[in-house]
Amino acid sequence: MPQRSSQSPHRVAVIVDEGTNPFEVGVATELFGLPRPELGLPGPLYEVTLCTPTRAVDMNHGFFAMTGTAGLDAVDSADTLVVPGRPDNVVPRGPAVLDAIRRTHARGARVLSFCTGSFALAEAGLLDGRRATTHWMWAERFRALHPRVRLESDVLFVDEGGILTAAGSAAALDLGLYVIRRDHGAEIAGAVSRRLVFAAHRDGGQRQFVERPIPEVADASLGPLLAWAQERLGEPLTVADLAARAAVSPATLHRRFQAQLGTTPLAWLTGERVALACRLIERGEERLDVVAARSGLGTAANLRARVRRETGLSPSEYRRRFGLASGEPVMA
């Protein structure tokens, strides 16, 4: 794993408002706030500050009160602002909270919302004319309150550049890992996801897990099949090969992937191959044809297209940002 050069950590502020859901606050602190000595880095990836509009804030359902936090002026030095959700979405946010969100965005810092935190961003006017998402249960309420927002209610998260919105509480983990991957590369994002025992990558365009009838017989876990495929990404695996390994038809496999992962077998396989290609680039492999072959992407041209689609960077740009500097070691 690359040893990053010493520099000031990226500063993250998390607004904890009255009635905020504890889970999303926990997601933010887990992803961005914990020390990660297992990475062997010279310093933390992020520096997290919890900030509140008052000295004590009651969390959702009054489970506990948040105290000992910074004030809302902490957002003024943040590189990223996280706005978690709360259930009382029709109750307006306080003017101090909305002002903190507006001025953070106005000076060019990145703004993230988790779950129904998108209501606060919309109320602050940040989402007018933009794509955004929120939890599917509150989609119609969101549309009624904020008709100028281009709501995408069936995806996990939406990246609109400096403003990113996650759907449900678990999708906050997806968005957070996506942000870490963009900031620090696939290698570090993968290490963080393994510590979380969470999928390293679910594309933001995947569908949310909305309510649906429970089948009479639950599908078998895809875990063994996924592990088998991840060990063979460089081989010419197809969806038919995955179905044969699982001893089911391709149609049945497709249904299981949609039900359990919210994506298709081909999209999952392609995503895993792109993630492997990024790790190879980070570890110092400069020959694109070799990276393409080892990751199963086939050709250098396909590799370039897939990496750019996933990361927004060409392979060479990705290498400059996340690859090993001269003489830096790689950890096993």
Side-chain angles (χ1 to χ4, degrees), residues 263-328:
T263 189
T264 66
L266 181 58
W268 176 85
L269 190 58
T270 301
E272 290 296 310
R273 283 171 164 159
V274 172
L276 175 57
C278 288
R279 292 196 297 271
L280 292 171
I281 292 171
E282 289 181 38
R283 292 176 179 179
E285 180 54 69
E286 298 184 357
R287 298 164 295 176
L288 293 189
D289 55 339
V290 174
V291 174
R294 290 182 60 187
S295 62
L297 292 175
T299 66
N302 188 44
L303 169 69
R304 291 188 186 94
R306 295 292 183 178
V307 170
R308 181 175 288 280
R309 179 184 180 277
E310 172 63 29
T311 68
L313 304 170
S314 69
S316 59
E317 292 168 334
Y318 189 90
R319 181 182 298 110
R320 284 194 294 272
R321 180 174 298 187
F322 300 119
L324 293 172
S326 176
E328 288 182 333

Side-chain angles (χ1 to χ4, degrees), residues 78-268:
D79 303 300
T80 292
L81 174 65
V82 178
V83 182
R86 67 180 195 186
D88 53 344
N89 301 306
V90 296
V91 178
R93 299 270 180 160
V97 170
L98 296 178
D99 180 66
I101 294 172
R102 291 188 189 106
R103 69 176 186 263
T104 301
H105 174 62
R107 63 179 175 79
R110 183 169 58 192
V111 180
L112 279 59
S113 70
F114 289 169
C115 195
T116 57
S118 52
F119 280 79
L121 303 195
E123 191 177 350
L126 270 61
L127 300 181
D128 286 353
R130 297 178 183 270
R131 296 182 307 119
T133 192
T134 195
H135 194 289
W136 62 269
M137 287 182 63
W138 287 277
E140 291 309 312
R141 179 183 296 179
F142 187 98
R143 288 191 177 97
L145 290 172
H146 308 291
R148 298 179 64 184
V149 180
R150 295 158 54 197
L151 185 69
E152 298 185 2
S153 58
D154 60 349
V155 298
L156 294 179
F157 59 84
V158 171
D159 179 354
E160 278 284 270
I163 302 175
L164 300 93
T165 52
S169 297
L173 286 165
D174 293 298
L175 177 56
L177 287 169
Y178 171 83
V179 166
I180 293 172
R181 188 165 62 252
R182 285 295 179 96
D183 290 347
H184 299 285
E187 188 86 351
I188 284 178
V192 174
S193 71
R194 287 191 294 274
R195 178 163 170 175
L196 289 167
V197 195
F198 189 77
H201 172 64
R202 292 196 299 169
D203 187 83
Q206 291 180 32
R207 297 180 67 86
Q208 294 187 40
F209 294 98
V210 301
E211 281 188 343
R212 62 190 59 160
I214 299 175
E216 293 183 6
V217 180
D219 286 336
S221 171
L222 289 173
L225 176 65
L226 302 185
W228 177 84
Q230 286 170 330
E231 294 177 355
R232 295 164 175 80
L233 294 175
E235 300 177 12
L237 287 179
T238 65
V239 174
D241 295 327
L242 296 180
R245 176 69 183 183
V248 297
S249 69
T252 297
L253 185 70
H254 189 279
R255 288 194 296 270
R256 289 183 179 177
F257 266 75
Q258 288 286 8
Q260 296 186 38
L261 300 180
T263 189
T264 66
L266 181 58
W268 176 85

